[in-house]
Amino acid sequence: MSELKAGLTSTRRYDIDKGRTIGFMGDDCRVYSTPSLLYDIEVVCRDLLLENIEAGKDSVGTRVELDHVGATLLGMWIEITVKVVEVNGPAVTFEFTARDALEEVARGKHSRFVVGAEKTAQRLKAKLEKAMAAA
């Protein structure tokens, strides 16, 4: 396990398949959807954290600033690069960029909070019990 610190980076490439696209402009103009882009960014950030925090810990997303500035068509690839820019105890801030073969398509910041996985699961189960009792 590595030490979590500012400067850590990770890059991942995704192929843009039909499930990652929107189709309201017709099949010829299917493009990478913003919700899919956000999900993929969160996965890259979380995976980088998991490689650099102790076993039994995980993270939850707390904030996103996302500028989706370009369209990536069905069948293209996207490359997402994330960088840890701040570690403040369990709070971790990333900057990210995403680009396809032709241009930058997104940039922004993402914040995550490192949590104990078991303790978080217990808290969520207790909330579910309360919600079921209130229903």
Side-chain angles (χ1 to χ4, degrees):
M1 177 173 52
S2 302
E3 181 182 328
L4 184 59
K5 62 184 179 229
L8 292 173
T9 64
S10 182
T11 300
R12 185 168 302 156
R13 184 177 283 197
Y14 293 93
D15 292 324
I16 305 307
D17 57 18
K18 191 171 183 178
R20 283 189 161 89
T21 64
I22 54 92
F24 63 81
M25 294 177 56
D27 280 344
D28 290 344
C29 294
R30 292 188 82 85
V31 295
Y32 193 27
S33 72
T34 302
S36 294
L37 170 62
L38 175 56
Y39 177 81
D40 291 340
I41 290 164
E42 284 208 76
V43 167
V44 179
C45 291
R46 179 177 175 257
D47 286 351
L48 180 57
L49 282 178
L50 289 174
E51 294 170 8
N52 291 282
I53 58 179
E54 64 189 72
K57 299 284 186 180
D58 207 319
S59 67
V60 295
T62 59
R63 182 173 167 77
V64 178
E65 296 176 37
L66 171 63
D67 296 319
H68 195 169
V69 297
T72 302
L73 294 159
L74 173 66
M76 295 179 76
W77 53 262
I78 192 86
E79 194 169 78
I80 298 169
T81 299
V82 303
K83 179 179 180 180
V84 175
V85 294
E86 183 178 3
V87 178
N88 185 6
V92 182
T93 303
F94 296 85
E95 289 181 349
F96 62 82
T97 59
R99 63 176 304 105
D100 60 27
L102 302 176
E103 63 187 352
E104 180 183 67
V105 297
R107 61 184 165 268
K109 292 184 178 182
H110 178 44
S111 300
R112 297 190 71 77
F113 198 84
V114 176
V115 297
E118 187 174 317
K119 184 176 181 180
T120 300
Q122 290 172 354
R123 182 179 55 81
L124 294 173
K125 289 174 184 174
K127 183 173 183 175
L128 178 60
E129 287 178 19
K130 286 181 183 178
M132 300 285 276

